Amino acid sequence: MNLENNISKKVYTKISSLKKGLPFLTVIGAGPGDLELITLKAIKSLRTADVVLYDALVNPELLEYAPKAEHIFVGKRKGCYAYQQEQINELIVSRAKTHGHVVRLKGGDPFVFGRGAEEMTYAANHGVDTEMIPGISSCISVPAAQNIPVTKRNSAESFWVITGTTKEHKLSQDVHLAAKSSATVVILMGMSKLPEIIALFKKEGKSETPIAIIQNGTRANEKVGVGTISTIIGVVQEEKLANPAIIIIGEVVNHRASIKKVAKNSIHELSSGI
Amino acid sequence: MNLENNISKKVYTKISSLKKGLPFLTVIGAGPGDLELITLKAIKSLRTADVVLYDALVNPELLEYAPKAEHIFVGKRKGCYAYQQEQINELIVSRAKTHGHVVRLKGGDPFVFGRGAEEMTYAANHGVDTEMIPGISSCISVPAAQNIPVTKRNSAESFWVITGTTKEHKLSQDVHLAAKSSATVVILMGMSKLPEIIALFKKEGKSETPIAIIQNGTRANEKVGVGTISTIIGVVQEEKLANPAIIIIGEVVNHRASIKKVAKNSIHELSSGI
């Protein structure tokens, strides 16, 4: 397979095309944290980047795919944003016009609560051509890494992904309907609303429904709590679980116990001959 | 970045570990069809495979990552399954015990309507260690490739992914609730139920809600129809749209028009110097 072998050759032609002065934005999903859960397409694009704008949730080692590019951190540090969204939009356009190929590198998938669509619209409206390269979304892969599938025959015919914090800092009205549905419910950044969420599911008679909370999913400092709607608050207190976390509610959580637990990074361990 | 450079060295140590007789199953998501939307982790794992079981939705060129492995097609051909699910389960276990590392390669993500969880459970119950490597899910990436984000600030705070055909060949009850919600609704394999789906959304006063239908998403033969709940049936007839297709309903569909259309595979075209 010569996909990777072809990379270097192609990269140089790409850069020369970009030097003709074409401003270009590629919005890239970097996946959930594991350095190897990035796509070949993303790596190829990074190698042609002149500027990379990256978030706090992006593994900074990925910047090594773009060693000559300017790297600009535009995420949140110690609770403060380095840049406001409008500043990021402007930076994308100005750097694309002066430097050429701007890569906007985001954790997970840029079209899942990632504001990638907004940035593309802004760039397009300002004369910058755009492309988007999807990433492995945390909403599916973080539960998966804990052996929790979002769907499973006879357990769940659908899954519903909801943000815990709306623009107005209220719990989304959709959670009310979600509690009535048979969907697997995945709530991102919802820890501050957990008691409210629990109350909604209890109201629908779902006290015994399994629930898992995964903090820092797929990372070295990952923490997991598993229980039912009735018991999970106790688990959260005991394990001191907090955001950034994913809440997953539904029978699929029970799948976790049905799989023989294999050590994380088993392929690495095997492959290094350990 | 030496991730790929390290692959070959590691692969050989892995194979020697596996030759010690450890039966192992890796369930891998191959992504939506585009050959480059596979992860580094998946490629590494394929390179250590002794046997690869693959589906119809998997791009067969990916098998070149496992040139020495036995390749077994277990998908649907001309409407007929090559193997029943039970036979696949048994094949995984028997090949793992005789050959070592079995890779089960599936289109999209194996935990999104992929039955990957079932196969892992069966293997685990029969003494085979398992691992899962997520893939880019079609439910998010196929709309994304058409510049339709599943979420967008001020348009959608959640998205709900539903299978159009349940085990009983009926429309999932969840679609009734979905029509009442403010979620972006993504329905997979639902074309035969389209009139029923349309009726449910009309009942909720959503005749003007945008809808897109994407057939053979991200592939060379991709076809797209865009309209509203009122007009889409006409579009489907005109464009002769059918399964395998993804139906996406919500204001986010309008995002498509807000992005300057960039030629597909633009990176390829640029990089080959065209």
Side-chain angles (χ1 to χ4, degrees), chain A residues 3 13 34 36 41 44 65 113 121 130-131 151 154 158-161 167 174 182 255 262 266 271, chain B residues 3 13 34 36 41 44 65 113 121 130-131 151 154 158-161 167 174 182 255 262 266-267 271:
Chain A
L3 273 179
T13 2
D34 180 324
E36 293 184 346
K41 208 180 190 71
K44 281 195 179 186
Y65 285 120
F113 306 113
T121 305
T130 64
E131 187 183 49
T151 71
N154 302 327
S158 74
F159 67 99
W160 196 348
V161 182
K167 222 176 42 176
D174 283 342
S182 67
H255 175 71
V262 175
S266 53
S271 64
Chain B
L3 272 179
T13 3
D34 180 322
E36 293 184 346
K41 206 179 192 72
K44 281 194 177 183
Y65 286 120
F113 305 114
T121 305
T130 65
E131 187 184 51
T151 71
N154 301 327
S158 74
F159 67 100
W160 196 351
V161 182
K167 222 175 45 176
D174 284 341
S182 67
H255 176 70
V262 175
S266 54
I267 285 186
S271 63

Side-chain angles (χ1 to χ4, degrees), chain B residues 8-75:
Chain B
S8 355
K9 198 186 66 196
K10 285 192 176 174
V11 165
Y12 293 108
T13 3
K14 172 79 189 299
I15 287 172
S16 70
S17 302
L18 285 167
K19 277 197 178 143
K20 286 174 196 160
L22 294 172
F24 199 91
L25 166 67
T26 310
V27 177
I28 297 184
D34 180 322
L35 205 58
E36 293 184 346
L37 286 181
I38 191 165
T39 65
L40 275 187
K41 206 179 192 72
I43 293 171
K44 281 194 177 183
S45 182
L46 273 168
R47 287 194 170 152
T48 72
D50 298 305
V51 183
V52 182
L53 277 65
Y54 66 103
D55 280 340
L57 289 175
V58 164
N59 191 326
E61 284 184 61
L62 292 173
L63 297 172
E64 294 175 33
Y65 286 120
K68 290 182 182 168
E70 181 186 11
H71 302 157
I72 308 177
F73 176 78
V74 295

Side-chain angles (χ1 to χ4, degrees), chain B residues 244-266:
Chain B
I246 287 182
I247 302 167
I248 178 160
I249 305 170
E251 294 299 326
V252 291
V253 170
N254 287 336
H255 176 70
R256 190 166 178 262
S258 78
I259 292 285
K260 203 168 165 183
K261 185 75 188 145
V262 175
K264 272 173 87 177
N265 299 319
S266 54

Side-chain angles (χ1 to χ4, degrees), chain B residues 69-101:
Chain B
E70 181 186 11
H71 302 157
I72 308 177
F73 176 78
V74 295
K76 223 179 189 173
R77 214 163 246 167
K78 293 182 186 164
C80 295
Y81 285 104
Y83 290 83
Q84 295 298 315
Q85 187 62 48
E86 273 187 20
Q87 290 176 300
I88 297 174
N89 293 348
E90 287 164 15
L91 204 55
I92 288 170
V93 171
S94 62
R95 282 297 198 282
K97 291 192 172 168
T98 53
H99 289 60
H101 186 201

